[in-house]
Amino acid sequence: MDRTPLTLSPSAAQRVATIAAKQGKPAILRLSVEGGGCSGFHYKFGLADAPEGDDLVVETDGVRLVVDPMSHEFIAGCVVDYVESLGGAAFRVENPNAAASCGCGSSFAV
Protein backbone atom coordinates (compact mmCIF):
# COMPACT_ATOMS: atom_id res chain seq x y z
CA MET A 1 0.00 0.00 0.00
CA ASP A 2 1.19 3.52 -0.81
CA ARG A 3 2.13 5.29 2.43
CA THR A 4 2.78 8.73 0.90
CA PRO A 5 2.70 11.04 3.88
CA LEU A 6 0.00 13.53 4.67
CA THR A 7 0.61 16.94 6.18
CA LEU A 8 -1.32 18.60 8.99
CA SER A 9 -0.58 22.32 8.90
CA PRO A 10 0.30 24.16 12.13
CA SER A 11 -2.93 26.21 11.89
CA ALA A 12 -5.00 23.04 11.54
CA ALA A 13 -3.14 21.42 14.45
CA GLN A 14 -3.81 24.47 16.63
CA ARG A 15 -7.53 24.40 15.78
CA VAL A 16 -7.81 20.66 16.50
CA ALA A 17 -6.06 21.18 19.85
CA THR A 18 -8.52 23.97 20.75
CA ILE A 19 -11.59 21.91 19.79
CA ALA A 20 -10.30 18.78 21.56
CA ALA A 21 -9.54 20.74 24.75
CA LYS A 22 -13.06 22.21 24.79
CA GLN A 23 -14.56 18.73 24.37
CA GLY A 24 -12.17 17.01 26.79
CA LYS A 25 -10.92 14.64 24.09
CA PRO A 26 -7.45 13.71 22.81
CA ALA A 27 -6.08 15.98 20.06
CA ILE A 28 -6.59 13.41 17.28
CA LEU A 29 -8.29 14.41 14.03
CA ARG A 30 -9.70 11.59 11.90
CA LEU A 31 -10.01 12.33 8.18
CA SER A 32 -11.89 9.89 5.98
CA VAL A 33 -13.23 9.84 2.44
CA GLU A 34 -16.78 8.73 1.73
CA GLY A 35 -18.82 8.35 -1.43
CA GLY A 36 -21.26 11.15 -2.19
CA GLY A 37 -21.00 14.90 -2.31
CA CYS A 38 -21.42 17.02 -5.42
CA SER A 39 -18.26 15.68 -7.10
CA GLY A 40 -18.39 11.98 -6.19
CA PHE A 41 -16.48 11.83 -2.88
CA HIS A 42 -16.44 14.01 0.21
CA TYR A 43 -14.15 14.51 3.18
CA LYS A 44 -15.35 13.68 6.68
CA PHE A 45 -13.64 15.14 9.76
CA GLY A 46 -14.09 14.11 13.38
CA LEU A 47 -12.21 13.77 16.63
CA ALA A 48 -10.98 10.27 17.44
CA ASP A 49 -10.25 8.71 20.82
CA ALA A 50 -7.26 6.77 19.47
CA PRO A 51 -5.74 5.63 16.18
CA GLU A 52 -6.81 2.22 14.92
CA GLY A 53 -4.26 -0.50 14.16
CA ASP A 54 -3.77 0.11 10.45
CA ASP A 55 -4.23 3.91 10.41
CA LEU A 56 -1.64 6.21 8.92
CA VAL A 57 -0.71 8.65 11.70
CA VAL A 58 0.91 12.06 11.17
CA GLU A 59 1.79 14.39 14.04
CA THR A 60 2.18 18.19 14.05
CA ASP A 61 2.78 20.17 17.25
CA GLY A 62 1.52 17.28 19.40
CA VAL A 63 -1.72 16.87 17.40
CA ARG A 64 -2.27 13.68 15.41
CA LEU A 65 -4.02 13.27 12.06
CA VAL A 66 -5.24 9.70 11.47
CA VAL A 67 -6.45 8.22 8.19
CA ASP A 68 -7.67 4.70 7.43
CA PRO A 69 -5.98 2.80 4.56
CA MET A 70 -8.98 2.98 2.18
CA SER A 71 -9.27 6.77 2.55
CA HIS A 72 -5.50 7.19 2.26
CA GLU A 73 -5.62 5.89 -1.32
CA PHE A 74 -7.66 8.99 -2.29
CA ILE A 75 -5.72 11.57 -0.27
CA ALA A 76 -2.08 10.44 -0.30
CA GLY A 77 0.18 13.49 -0.30
CA CYS A 78 -2.54 15.93 0.75
CA VAL A 79 -2.22 18.88 3.10
CA VAL A 80 -4.92 19.45 5.73
CA ASP A 81 -5.13 23.14 6.59
CA TYR A 82 -7.43 25.38 8.61
CA VAL A 83 -8.37 28.63 6.92
CA GLU A 84 -10.35 31.64 8.04
CA SER A 85 -11.84 33.98 5.46
CA LEU A 86 -14.79 36.32 5.01
CA GLY A 87 -16.83 33.28 4.00
CA GLY A 88 -16.13 31.54 7.32
CA ALA A 89 -13.57 29.20 8.82
CA ALA A 90 -13.06 25.57 7.85
CA PHE A 91 -10.64 22.71 7.49
CA ARG A 92 -9.45 22.47 3.87
CA VAL A 93 -7.83 19.53 2.12
CA GLU A 94 -5.34 20.39 -0.61
CA ASN A 95 -5.49 17.12 -2.50
CA PRO A 96 -3.03 16.51 -5.37
CA ASN A 97 -5.06 13.44 -6.41
CA ALA A 98 -8.32 15.31 -7.04
CA ALA A 99 -9.10 15.74 -10.73
CA ALA A 100 -11.93 18.15 -9.87
CA SER A 101 -13.51 19.68 -6.82
CA CYS A 102 -16.60 21.70 -6.15
CA GLY A 103 -17.02 25.19 -4.76
CA CYS A 104 -17.82 23.96 -1.25
CA GLY A 105 -14.29 22.56 -0.92
CA SER A 106 -15.45 19.38 0.78
CA SER A 107 -16.24 17.31 -2.31
CA PHE A 108 -13.92 16.04 -5.03
CA ALA A 109 -13.53 13.64 -7.96
CA VAL A 110 -10.55 11.46 -8.93
Side-chain angles (χ1 to χ4, degrees), residues 46-68:
L47 291 179
D49 292 322
E52 295 180 10
D54 55 356
D55 282 342
L56 176 72
V57 180
V58 176
E59 190 167 326
T60 301
D61 299 334
V63 175
R64 290 184 280 176
L65 171 66
V66 296
V67 177
D68 66 90

Side-chain angles (χ1 to χ4, degrees), residues 18-51:
T18 300
I19 293 169
K22 285 181 181 177
Q23 294 186 12
K25 293 189 163 229
I28 302 172
L29 178 66
R30 175 168 296 283
L31 170 60
S32 59
V33 174
E34 297 183 348
C38 19
S39 294
F41 295 98
H42 71 274
Y43 304 110
K44 181 178 176 186
F45 294 96
L47 291 179
D49 292 322

Side-chain angles (χ1 to χ4, degrees), residues 4 8 10-11 22 27 35 38 47 61 66 68-69 71 73 99 101 110:
T4 303
L8 181 65
S11 63
K22 285 181 181 177
C38 19
L47 291 179
D61 299 334
V66 296
D68 66 90
S71 295
E73 291 181 30
S101 62
V110 290

